[in-house]
Amino acid sequence: MSLASEERKETIMTLLNERGKVIANELSLLFEVSTETIRRDLDELEKENKLKKVYGGAVKFKVEVEPPLLEREAIHVEAKRKIGILSAGLIEDNDVIVVDEGSTALQIIHCLEGKQHLTILTNSVPALMLLIEFQKRGTFNGKLIFIGGEVSAKHLRVSGPIAEKVLEGFYVNKSFVSVDGVSLENGITSYDYEKAVFTRQMIRNSEMAIVVADSSKIDKRTVAKIADLDEIHMIVTDQAPSPKWKAALQKMAVQWIYPQGEI
């Protein structure tokens, strides 16, 4: 049989959902078209995030979801601590900063001892509670502004239109942005669309946008785009950049900071 491209791709997806995997040679015989035609179909479906190409065919696209905050806090702990220390080193007395709700960004809060007269905005419930405790102890003498809005019990964060509206009223020196993916081709991404929109607003209202991401997030893309890489200023992570990243960072004037140095 011979099918138009869109009909053919629809049938490929039906077969993929039934079987979990499709073979290019088998599809070529089924549709009576060349394997090159099938490869083009698979290329297009992969670009649409509908499947993952593998040698000789394709498999179902694995849909990842964002783990709850408590789970995220328990993974890559040492890397996140290092990133927290490096990020806190970028904060100066009297800075106005915004720290988002990510488990990596939360590590920054633990490293602020000795910083004077900061103003900290956050949409993170754990960051809020930690800073309140520091105020009670007398180890944080700055201003604390909680960004209100719809609360996620799973992620212990605030996001949505109300939070975005609150954030619109503030301009900050530095924003510390947690992300789920950092990719040369796709920029910085999140699992959650509302979080992505909120983070985009953080970047727009910051003199300096600093991405904090452990190395498991590098060369990874998730579902909701936050921004292109040339819209941020720094990436703070736990490992040195690969050669392809070094060349790209120079072109985009993005600084890469890691425990052994910076690029």
Side-chain angles (χ1 to χ4, degrees), residues 179 181 183 185-190 196 199-200 203-204 211 224-232:
V179 300
S183 161
E185 296 79 15
N186 305 107
I188 54 174
T189 53
S190 171
T199 306
R200 206 175 297 144
I203 292 170
R204 276 199 298 264
V211 168
K225 183 168 183 176
I226 298 170
D228 291 319
L229 285 178
D230 60 7
E231 296 177 66
I232 65 171

Side-chain angles (χ1 to χ4, degrees), residues 72-84:
R72 286 183 278 141
E73 285 185 318
I75 57 175
H76 308 297
V77 175
E78 189 55 36
K80 291 173 181 178
R81 284 181 185 143
K82 291 176 182 177
I83 293 167

Side-chain angles (χ1 to χ4, degrees), residues 21-27 38-39 42 53-58:
K21 183 176 181 178
V22 290
I23 307 299
N25 288 340
E26 293 177 1
L27 294 174
I38 294 298
R39 288 194 189 99
L42 296 180
K53 282 185 68 182
V54 296
Y55 182 77

Side-chain angles (χ1 to χ4, degrees), residues 112-232:
L112 295 179
E113 189 174 356
K115 306 289 182 182
Q116 299 294 314
H117 310 299
L118 300 179
T119 298
I120 301 178
L121 290 81
T122 188
N123 66 325
S124 163
V125 175
L128 171 68
M129 299 309 295
L130 196 56
L131 286 164
I132 288 173
E133 182 60 30
F134 290 170
Q135 280 184 328
K136 288 179 180 177
R137 292 181 195 170
T139 55
F140 174 65
N141 66 358
K143 286 185 180 179
L144 174 56
I145 299 171
F146 187 60
I147 300 166
E150 184 176 350
V151 178
S152 165
K154 179 180 178 182
H155 299 297
L156 299 178
R157 69 178 175 225
V158 173
S159 60
I162 298 171
E164 292 156 28
K165 189 68 178 175
V166 172
L167 191 57
E168 280 179 10
F170 293 91
Y171 291 98
V172 302
N173 302 117
K174 302 176 179 89
S175 60
F176 292 89
V177 177
S178 292
V179 300
D180 298 309
V182 185
S183 161
L184 284 174
E185 296 79 15
N186 305 107
I188 54 174
T189 53
S190 171
Y191 287 116
D192 182 86
Y193 178 74
E194 281 196 347
K195 172 179 162 58
V197 174
F198 179 83
T199 306
R200 206 175 297 144
Q201 184 71 45
M202 283 176 61
I203 292 170
R204 276 199 298 264
N205 287 34
S206 304
E207 293 175 9
M208 182 179 294
I210 302 164
V211 168
V212 291
D214 67 75
S215 52
S216 71
K217 311 289 177 59
I218 306 299
D219 290 318
K220 181 177 179 180
R221 180 207 62 199
T222 54
V223 65
K225 183 168 183 176
I226 298 170
D228 291 319
L229 285 178
D230 60 7
E231 296 177 66
I232 65 171

